[in-house]
């Protein structure tokens, strides 16, 4: 296939990022159809992207649209049945994280991917395609820091967007499922092992609405991995300075730190406040290149008839770890991970 024709499902904030990439930045790809239950999103597809083949029903798009592949960027609870339906319809599938909102759903997706093994399935753990994280992985594989035994990860959304987090906290699955899945995936990737136990805590000091919905404003979790390594996560929703993502991998012979300051760019402002670096304000900005690179890889996998490095099983394992952390937070006890 010289050009891979893609239909997208979901055109929210992240869906628009993928849609614009498919329209303008991905060689060998063409966005030819769009699906959403929100009229304004379909209007966006027509007016801003020039996609006139639009649908409100996912199955109808699969049956009628002239597409080779589907990009699923819908609500998390819709992912697994849409993955199965798209694969069954003969389409290659890109799906945003999380894989599913229950372990049962993740296993359903695993069986579908296994059943239709001639199709490409790609899970959107885009941080693996971020140049800094990919560089860290290469250095680890080269032995630059010896044997990695600890990953410390911080991920805090900006206070400026907290109202949205409050609005959806009752249905998001909780802070660990909603926010920690990328860091959990990176821990497994960097340490080369699965986790066997987790102890997680949470607290709320600024916005009681989180606590009222059985969630928390800030969470900290400690994972023990099967190879003896450790993983430490700090997630939150109230960074006053912007979108704060920071990761450190510690090994027997050194360590690697990624984004210790979540800088917007390399400029430093010197004024009455001192030496100031502006911070990146949101995940679409911080990981703009990563979203493009992962979609390029998806299209390349289809063209070259090969499978991506990220698998459906990575999605299940990360979801299991996130649910175990959520259970530990709720029960105030350590939880074994199967």
């Amino acid at each position: 296939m010289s050009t891979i024709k893609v239909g997208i499902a979901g055109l929210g904030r992240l869906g628009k990022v993928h849609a614009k990439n498919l329209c303008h930045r991905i060689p060998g790809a063409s966005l030819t159809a769009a699906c959403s239950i929100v009229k304004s999103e379909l209007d966006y597809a027509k007016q801003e992207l020039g996609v006139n083949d639009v649908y409100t029903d996912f199955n109808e798009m699969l049956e009628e649209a002239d597409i080779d592949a589907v990009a699923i960027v819908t609500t998390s609870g819709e992912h697994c049945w849409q993955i199965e339906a798209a694969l069954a319809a003969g389409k290659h599938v890109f799906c945003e994280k999380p894989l599913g909102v229950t372990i049962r759903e993740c296993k359903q997706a695993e069986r579908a991917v296994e059943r239709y093994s001639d199709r490409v399935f790609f899970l959107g753990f885009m941080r693996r395609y971020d140049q800094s994280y990919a560089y860290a992985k290469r250095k680890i594989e080269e032995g630059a820091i010896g044997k990695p035994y600890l990953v410390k990860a911080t991920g805090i959304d900006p206070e400026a967007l907290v109202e949205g987090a409050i609005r959806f906290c009752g249905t998001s699955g909780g802070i660990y499922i909603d926010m920690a899945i990328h860091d959990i995936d990176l821990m497994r990737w960097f340490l080369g092992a699965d986790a066997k136990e987790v102890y997680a805590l949470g607290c709320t000091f600024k916005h009681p609405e989180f606590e009222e919905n059985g969630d928390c404003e800030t969470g900290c979790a400690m994972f023990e991995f099967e190879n003896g390594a450790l993983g430490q996560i700090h997630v939150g929703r109230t960074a006053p300075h912007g979108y704060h993502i920071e990761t450190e991998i510690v090994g027997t012979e050194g360590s690697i730190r990624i984004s210790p300051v979540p800088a917007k760019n390399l400029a430093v402002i010197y004024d009455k406040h001192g030496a100031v670096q502006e911070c990146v304000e949101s995940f679409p900005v911080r990981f703009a290149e990563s979203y493009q690179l992962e979609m390029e890889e998806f299209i390349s996998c289809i063209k070259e008839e090969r499978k991506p490095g990220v698998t459906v099983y990575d999605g299940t394992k990360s979801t299991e770890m996130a649910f175990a952390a959520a259970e530990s937070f709720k029960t105030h006890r350590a939880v074994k991970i199967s």
Side-chain angles (χ1 to χ4, degrees):
M1 290 178 281
S2 58
T3 299
I4 306 301
K5 292 172 285 189
V6 183
I8 193 166
L11 283 164
R13 182 163 60 155
L14 185 50
K16 287 183 173 68
V17 171
H18 286 306
K20 286 187 285 189
N21 283 338
L22 285 164
C23 278
H24 307 300
R25 302 186 183 97
I26 310 298
S30 175
L31 185 65
T32 58
C35 176
S36 174
I37 59 172
V38 181
K39 182 181 181 301
S40 60
E41 293 182 3
L42 296 183
D43 291 340
Y44 171 85
K46 291 179 180 179
Q47 296 165 13
E48 301 296 326
L49 303 176
V51 178
N52 293 313
D53 194 10
V54 299
Y55 302 85
T56 57
D57 183 273
F58 183 76
N59 286 315
E60 187 179 344
M61 181 175 74
L62 294 179
E63 292 171 8
E64 298 183 7
D66 181 19
I67 54 176
D68 307 302
V70 176
I72 298 172
V73 202
T74 52
T75 304
S76 299
E78 307 295 311
H79 288 181
C80 287
W81 78 261
Q82 290 179 338
I83 290 168
E84 185 171 25
L87 291 170
K91 315 303 180 187
H92 303 285
V93 176
F94 172 95
C95 182
E96 259 304 329
K97 67 85 185 171
L99 177 62
V101 295
T102 67
I103 303 303
R104 181 187 60 80
E105 286 184 0
C106 291
K107 295 295 184 181
Q108 172 191 350
E110 284 185 5
R111 290 190 294 271
V113 171
E114 291 166 351
R115 191 159 58 248
Y116 302 103
S117 59
D118 58 325
R119 291 26 152 195
V120 171
F121 173 75
F122 195 108
L123 186 60
F125 280 141
M126 86 294 180
R127 289 194 200 177
R128 294 195 187 197
Y129 296 90
D130 175 79
Q131 289 196 24
S132 297
Y133 286 109
Y135 175 80
K137 176 66 172 176
R138 289 195 301 272
K139 298 305 289 185
I140 290 168
E141 290 174 342
E142 292 168 4
I145 62 170
K147 178 69 174 176
Y149 62 84
L150 171 64
V151 175
K152 296 186 285 184
T154 296
I156 315 174
D157 279 350
E159 170 73 27
L161 300 177
V162 74
E163 291 304 320
I166 290 171
R167 191 161 56 251
F168 292 107
C169 69
T171 57
S172 70
I175 196 168
Y176 289 105
I177 297 165
D178 184 37
M179 292 191 62
I181 200 81
H182 282 298
D183 290 314
I184 286 171
D185 175 65
L186 288 176
M187 285 181 173
R188 294 182 61 248
W189 196 45
F190 288 138
L191 296 172
D194 288 318
K196 65 178 183 179
E197 190 169 18
V198 60
Y199 184 67
L201 295 169
C203 64
T204 301
F205 278 85
K206 194 170 184 180
H207 300 284
E209 297 93 333
F210 288 113
E211 202 166 47
E212 291 165 5
N213 281 280
D215 200 4
C216 62
E217 195 174 76
T218 297
C220 291
M222 178 69 78
F223 291 90
E224 181 183 9
F225 285 76
E226 291 174 350
N227 64 355
L230 301 176
Q232 176 184 309
I233 283 182
H234 165 207
V235 286
R237 289 158 164 154
T238 57
H241 51 279
Y243 179 60
H244 190 118
I245 296 294
E246 180 179 350
T247 307
E248 183 176 10
I249 309 103
V250 182
T252 55
E253 307 301 326
S255 61
I256 302 172
R257 293 188 73 185
I258 302 165
S259 301
V261 176
K264 186 172 186 176
N265 51 45
L266 296 178
V268 179
I269 302 169
Y270 297 87
D271 62 11
K272 63 182 179 181
H273 302 292
V276 179
Q277 276 190 288
E278 292 185 327
C279 293
V280 67
E281 63 269 22
S282 64
F283 71 85
V285 176
R286 168 62 180 85
F287 291 107
E289 184 181 39
S290 307
Y291 288 120
Q292 179 178 337
L293 290 173
E294 70 171 355
M295 193 60 73
E296 286 180 2
E297 175 68 359
F298 174 56
I299 298 300
S300 293
C301 284
I302 297 172
K303 286 175 166 286
E304 298 167 13
E305 298 183 348
R306 60 180 174 85
K307 297 299 175 67
V310 185
T311 71
V312 67
Y313 308 106
D314 291 316
T316 300
K317 287 293 186 181
S318 297
T319 303
E320 286 175 340
M321 289 173 64
F323 270 99
E327 182 183 347
S328 178
F329 160 63
K330 292 175 183 175
T331 61
H332 295 281
R333 62 179 179 83
V335 172
K336 297 287 185 183
I337 302 171
S338 59

